[in-house]
Amino acid sequence: DPTSRAFVKSGSAAADIVEHQLKLYLRAENPLILDFGAGSGRVALPLAKNNPSFSLTCVDVDEEAIDYLVTQLPKRCLAEVCGYQPPLKFSDDSFDALYSISVWSHFPKDVGMAWLNEVKRVTKPGAILIITTAGKNVLADWREKGTQWKNVTDEDFEKEKYIYKEYLNLNSQGEYYPGISGEGSWGGTLLHPDYI
């Protein structure tokens, strides 16, 4: 629900972090920025509103979310549906920066690696990449909430470095995973700093 307080508050907080990092490191005056996995614009909308010099392009597999985002973004910004697997339709070296919030924390290993290669292709040399991942602190939270993770120990994480568990309801409740269910796998992914 893009109008819920928690949704808006968490999006604004993430946008503030992304904005700070981009302003700290970006050298382009009117940067072209890709929001990979934008959803309905939780981060993109406050980021675009507060930064008129940023030209955002938002992509996501969820067509309904992108349809909503198209109606909300400033005219200088774009939103488009992308597939679950690469490629994106953009030319090589298109973007000065990319951010992706809570996407790699859901990819199986092969899909995550394929998208990292695609991200490399569509971003300019020296581009700023901000990609969130789930690690040890998230594992503790997941152990408390989900049966799939209750037996995964910190030692398992230290040894494996990359642990992925598909959501149990991915196929039985595919309506919760538009653009993914039937196309591929989606779940919880832990990435150890050594792996990264």
Side-chain angles (χ1 to χ4, degrees):
D1 177 4
T3 62
S4 79
R5 282 189 180 182
F7 184 88
V8 171
K9 185 177 179 181
S10 69
S12 293
D16 288 346
I17 294 167
V18 169
E19 175 184 355
H20 176 75
Q21 295 302 312
L22 291 176
K23 287 184 172 178
L24 192 61
Y25 295 107
L26 267 178
R27 300 296 171 237
E29 284 187 35
N30 297 299
L32 300 174
I33 301 167
L34 180 62
D35 181 333
F36 181 80
S40 60
R42 181 172 67 106
V43 178
L45 292 173
L47 188 65
K49 178 183 173 190
N50 295 333
N51 297 281
S53 69
F54 290 3
S55 292
L56 293 179
T57 297
C58 303
V59 297
D60 198 277
V61 295
D62 184 341
E63 188 173 346
E64 185 178 356
I66 291 296
D67 287 346
Y68 170 79
L69 190 50
V70 165
T71 69
Q72 302 300 309
L73 281 169
K75 294 204 182 307
R76 72 181 185 280
C77 300
L78 303 170
E80 299 181 1
V81 176
C82 68
Y84 173 75
Q85 292 276 358
L88 295 169
K89 71 172 207 168
F90 310 112
S91 301
D92 294 0
D93 305 331
S94 292
F95 297 98
D96 299 296
L98 171 141
Y99 66 91
S100 186
I101 310 298
S102 191
V103 176
W104 264 266
S105 51
H106 299 284
F107 277 146
K109 193 172 192 176
D110 60 333
V111 176
M113 290 305 295
W115 277 115
L116 279 177
N117 286 323
E118 181 65 359
V119 162
K120 181 179 178 185
R121 183 188 71 78
V122 300
T123 54
K124 297 175 182 177
I128 306 303
L129 305 178
I130 301 169
I131 298 173
T132 64
T133 60
K136 190 174 180 179
N137 292 339
V138 174
L139 172 58
D141 184 54
W142 287 353
R143 273 196 295 250
E144 289 180 24
K145 292 180 180 175
T147 57
Q148 280 187 290
W149 294 94
K150 71 179 181 180
N151 295 322
V152 178
T153 66
D154 290 350
E155 292 77 21
D156 294 333
F157 184 44
E158 286 296 322
K159 180 182 174 194
E160 302 283 332
K161 309 291 187 210
Y162 193 119
I163 303 175
Y164 172 76
K165 294 189 178 287
E166 183 174 87
Y167 288 143
L168 296 175
N169 66 343
L170 179 68
N171 295 314
S172 63
Q173 295 178 310
E175 66 274 13
Y176 293 122
Y177 309 101
I180 298 165
S181 180
E183 296 292 321
S185 186
W186 193 249
T189 303
L190 295 174
L191 292 168
H192 193 281
D194 292 348
Y195 177 85
I196 295 167

